[in-house]
Amino acid sequence: MSTLKLAKDELIRRFDLQPHPEGGFFRETYRSTATMTREGSEATRAVSTAIYYLLCDGAHSAWHRIKSDEVWHFYAGEPLLVHVLDAAGKHVTHRLGNPLTHPGTVFQAVVAAGLWFAAECEDPATFALVGCTVAPGFEFSEFELADIDALQSAYPAQAEFIGRLGPADRPV
């Protein structure tokens, strides 16, 4: 068994990671006991939440968006690409990694609330363990997995790229 597979399997076991609906594995590690109410809503929510998130085995995080800012933190493995589509349709890629061993990477990147984003390992044969901190806190009720056809229509210049990072159960 390869060292890469052993490391990935050990991370899943040690941190009790579970399959995530957008791809990869995750586990919530923090949910603030402090709560708040989002403007225009009566529902209360945690002020902040955090997860471990592992991408491996060629999986990717499919296009999605949430209603809160999300800070991505690199922990282990190889570089991870976080792709973001801004409101004007511009594609920006944050390259997360350890800048001491992977020049051109950063330890942290922010995806602003409401923007479409997806993530993938720079090398699909590797893995990346990252963390995501969301404020106001993450709620699945505010998670929206992209309708790829609609997203491609909204961003025609990025259509081929968007299709490549659609949900895993969708034909490319």
Side-chain angles (χ1 to χ4, degrees):
M1 188 176 291
S2 75
T3 304
L4 179 67
K5 177 155 177 40
L6 287 172
K8 177 214 43 149
D9 290 346
E10 176 63 13
L11 289 168
I12 291 170
R13 184 196 63 75
R14 183 175 296 185
F15 296 111
D16 191 26
L17 303 177
Q18 303 299 314
H20 195 289
E22 75 197 39
F25 297 87
F26 83 110
R27 182 171 62 86
E28 187 173 271
T29 57
Y30 172 73
R31 181 168 289 272
S32 175
T33 57
T35 59
M36 59 160 291
T37 303
R38 190 185 293 278
E39 189 176 319
S41 171
E42 294 181 20
T44 60
R45 61 185 325 92
V47 171
S48 180
T49 57
I51 65 169
Y52 285 130
Y53 184 60
L54 175 71
L55 276 178
C56 55
D57 301 329
H60 63 272
S61 167
W63 291 103
H64 65 287
R65 64 181 171 185
I66 61 175
K67 293 184 179 181
S68 298
D69 291 340
E70 183 166 357
V71 182
W72 289 63
H73 315 264
F74 180 81
Y75 296 135
E78 297 299 315
L80 180 81
L81 306 176
V82 180
H83 304 289
V84 182
L85 295 173
D86 70 16
K90 181 180 174 193
H91 168 223
V92 175
T93 298
H94 301 287
R95 189 169 176 251
L96 289 177
N98 180 345
L100 300 173
T101 56
H102 297 101
T105 63
V106 295
F107 283 118
Q108 296 181 354
V110 176
V111 176
L115 297 182
W116 291 107
F117 63 105
E120 64 183 331
C121 290
E122 186 172 68
D123 176 350
T126 64
F127 73 88
L129 177 67
V130 299
C132 298
T133 304
V134 178
F138 178 82
E139 296 292 338
F140 270 105
S141 63
E142 293 186 350
F143 169 87
E144 181 182 0
L145 196 57
D147 172 322
I148 296 302
D149 295 330
L151 197 59
Q152 288 173 315
S153 292
Y155 300 93
Q158 306 294 340
E160 184 177 331
F161 180 66
I162 289 168
R164 186 173 67 76
L165 294 175
D169 60 354
R170 181 180 191 272
V172 179

